[in-house]
């Protein structure tokens, strides 16, 4: 019930019913008043006509036996009459019922019917008199006194009276008919009002359903606009609103997806903060940085690094952009924080963190490269300069000493040449100008020849050099000279960094369509933190040691470029106990028993 009264149908229905009920009440009251007066006037007119007819009958049939009969025919069933002469004496009486004498005396004694008050048109008066049907009861009567004059000049009066109960009965019947009509009109109005309100509100209910569908994201909902009135115009406007809403939502969704794609594809970390410092939005790179921070801190709360929080507070409080470089989790980040505005007020800030660790490492490598190359060049140049000055100054006393000095100058010039050649080769490889002359090469004889080449070097260094391989014939499509350069570098490094009585082993294994060639040694090995950088240009894990042993930090970088050009892979790892394992993986051309 509450649902009906709270709906538009119930409210519109109740409004129409209240309005119609009020109108029916006013109309019924006025109509009852009008009908009451109408019935009274009709009764008076009827009594007046009957009185005139009785007077005419008296004048025309006086003294005749038919006169009483005619007068009884003229009178209604509820109407009685009597006639008086000029002296006021009753000459004829036509009364049916009780209390005849009392009624006549009551009428004649009424001052309104005195001779002085009689008019030509008669006098009408309502009088309370005894009932003609029940003893001891009093009723309201309407009495009409109508005087008349005979041809002889005698005067008389016709008194005609009727109980108001007849008028009241007629009025009651009329009232019942009026109330029945009002009730029928109320019922019909109720049905019509419900039908009208339902018809008016049906499009509104459809609009409510369509609005609910729109709130659920179904923007294709449409309303039929069959009417040309305000409701039809509202349906048209609703459909237009749905189309516009769908367009703007799709546009916002596209912009959101585009922004999400941009944020997720960015190498920089982006974090959006609220004005209270809580994180509203972050891309995957930022989440990775924060997770690493929480893990390194060993806490589960979402507190920010103090340095970043200080910069954020400064940017929000002073409404200015802040930039600085911060170390976080062992890495270096350039942080830029800018305030976000909502109108004139600041609603938060956006922070962009760029990982500058690689740049720091590159700067470090560059400085190391300059130092290493300067040292590698300074040493032979100093020797060349010193020995050449000794020759020029005639310090040498014999040809043998002179030849030794010339031999040193020659070796140092070759060393400088190798360094320059390595630099040129590396530059050519990294610029993509290296040309490979590939051919099918049998791996085992090829690697055996390289091992044999280093056998004497290994014996002189008191290092055990071994070669382990399967009994299969393995064919690789490679540039033989370039791959030999790679393994020459790897085996030479392994021998130089392996102590006496150590082992250097070259192992060949087949894994599916690839051939893995591993050079392992039992030396001190490369520190774990340096493994990820050893293939960088000019990088040397132990600068002091490699300078003594003649390394330039370019060999492994050249080796990686050569293997990459062959679509292979080269990796470095520490041995289970000590030493270093260098693995080269290349695709197999064919493999036969």
């Amino acid at each position: 019930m509450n649902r009906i009264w709270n709906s538009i149908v119930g409210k519109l229905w109740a409004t129409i019913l209240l309005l119609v009920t009020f109108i029916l009440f006013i109309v019924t009251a006025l109509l009852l008043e009008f009908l009451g007066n109408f019935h009274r006037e009709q009764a008076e007119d009827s009594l007046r006509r009957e009185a005139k007819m009785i007077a005419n009958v008296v004048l025309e049939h006086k003294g005749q036996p038919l006169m009483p009969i005619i007068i009884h025919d003229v009178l209604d069933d509820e109407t009685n009459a009597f006639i008086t002469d000029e002296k006021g004496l009753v000459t004829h009486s036509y009364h049916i019922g009780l209390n005849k004498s009392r009624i006549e005396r009551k009428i004649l004694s009424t001052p309104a019917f005195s001779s002085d008050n009689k008019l030509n048109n008669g006098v009408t008066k309502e009088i309370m008199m005894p009932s003609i049907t029940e003893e001891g009861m009093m009723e309201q009567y309407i009495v009409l006194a109508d005087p008349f004059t005979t041809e002889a000049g005698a005067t008389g009066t016709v008194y005609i009276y009727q109980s108001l109960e007849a008028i009241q009965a007629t009025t009651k019947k009329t009232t019942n008919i009026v109330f029945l009509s009002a009730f029928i009109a109320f019922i019909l109005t109720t049905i019509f009002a419900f039908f009208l309100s339902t018809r008016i509100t049906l499009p509104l209910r459809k609009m409510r359903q369509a609005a609910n569908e729109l709130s659920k994201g179904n923007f294709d909902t449409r309303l039929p606009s069959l009417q040309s009135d305000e409701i039809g115009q509202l349906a048209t406007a609703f459909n237009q609103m749905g189309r516009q809403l769908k367009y703007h939502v799709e546009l916002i969704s596209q912009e959101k997806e585009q922004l999400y794609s941009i944020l997720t594809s960015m190498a920089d970390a982006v974090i959006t903060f609220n004005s209270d410092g809580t994180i509203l939005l972050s891309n995957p790179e930022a989440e990775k940085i924060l997770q690493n921070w929480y893990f390194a801190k060993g806490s589960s709360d979402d507190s920010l690094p103090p340095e970043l929080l200080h910069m954020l507070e400064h940017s929000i409080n002073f409404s200015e952009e802040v930039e600085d470089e911060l170390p976080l989790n062992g890495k270096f980040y350039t942080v830029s924080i800018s305030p976000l505005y909502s109108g004139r007020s600041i609603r938060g800030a956006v922070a962009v963190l760029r990982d500058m660790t690689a740049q720091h490492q590159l700067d470090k490598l560059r400085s190391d490269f300059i130092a290493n190359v300067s040292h590698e060049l300074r040493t032979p140049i100093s020797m060349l300069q010193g020995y050449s000055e000794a020759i020029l100054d005639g310090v040498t006393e014999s040809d043998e000493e002179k030849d030794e000095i010339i031999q040193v100058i020659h070796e140092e010039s070759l060393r400088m040449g190798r360094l320059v050649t390595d630099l040129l080769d590396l530059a050519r490889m990294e610029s993509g100008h290296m040309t490979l002359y590939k051919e099918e090469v049998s791996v085992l004889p090829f690697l055996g020849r390289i091992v044999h080449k280093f056998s004497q070097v290994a014996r002189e260094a008191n290092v055990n050099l071994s070669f382990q391989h399967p009994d299969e014939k393995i064919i690789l499509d490679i540039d033989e000279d370039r791959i030999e350069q790679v393994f020459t570098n790897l085996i030479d490094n392994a021998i130089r960094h392996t102590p006496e009585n150590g082992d250097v082993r070259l192992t060949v294994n087949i894994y599916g369509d690839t051939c893995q060639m591993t050079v392992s040694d039992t030396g001190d090995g490369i520190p774990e933190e340096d493994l990820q950088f050893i293939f960088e240009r000019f990088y040397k894990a132990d600068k002091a040691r490699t300078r003594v042993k003649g390394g330039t930090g370019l060999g492994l970088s050249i080796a990686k470029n050569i293997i990459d050009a062959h679509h292979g892979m080269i990796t470095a790892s520490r041995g289970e106990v000590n030493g270093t394992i260098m693995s080269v993986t290349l695709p197999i051309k064919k493999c036969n028993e």
Side-chain angles (χ1 to χ4, degrees), residues 559-573:
K560 186 177 187 309
N561 279 274
I562 293 174
I563 297 302
D564 289 342
H566 283 80
H567 307 290
M569 180 175 61
I570 181 170
T571 59
S573 61

Side-chain angles (χ1 to χ4, degrees), residues 234-281:
L234 181 60
T236 302
F238 183 89
N239 293 335
Q240 181 66 22
M241 180 191 69
R243 286 190 291 269
Q244 290 294 326
L245 187 60
K246 180 181 179 181
Y247 170 75
H248 288 297
V249 169
E250 289 179 350
L251 185 62
I252 293 174
S253 178
Q254 291 176 0
E255 292 179 352
K256 184 178 179 181
E257 291 178 358
Q258 185 177 7
L259 178 61
Y260 178 78
S261 300
I262 293 173
L263 288 177
T264 53
S265 61
M266 286 180 62
D268 297 339
V270 180
I271 308 175
T272 302
F273 297 96
N274 205 348
S275 58
D276 58 358
T278 57
I279 297 176
L280 297 178
L281 178 67

Side-chain angles (χ1 to χ4, degrees), residues 435-508:
T435 303
L436 297 179
Y437 299 95
K438 290 185 178 182
E439 58 181 346
E440 294 184 0
V441 178
S442 180
V443 174
L444 300 182
F446 167 68
L447 294 179
R449 186 175 67 252
I450 298 176
V451 171
H452 180 71
K453 180 175 65 175
F454 280 95
S455 298
Q456 182 62 31
V457 177
R459 282 193 297 269
E460 292 177 356
N462 199 15
V463 173
N464 181 28
L465 177 62
S466 61
F467 180 32
Q468 297 179 359
H469 57 82
D471 294 332
E472 303 177 16
K473 183 179 181 181
I474 305 172
I475 304 298
L476 300 180
D477 189 15
I478 58 175
D479 185 329
E480 186 175 355
D481 292 338
R482 291 295 183 180
I483 298 299
E484 182 176 354
Q485 182 180 355
V486 171
F487 283 97
T488 298
N489 181 273
L490 296 180
I491 296 175
D492 181 63
N493 286 342
I495 294 174
R496 284 192 292 114
H497 297 117
T498 300
E500 292 185 1
N501 300 320
D503 295 321
V504 174
R505 183 169 58 252
L506 175 60
T507 306
V508 178

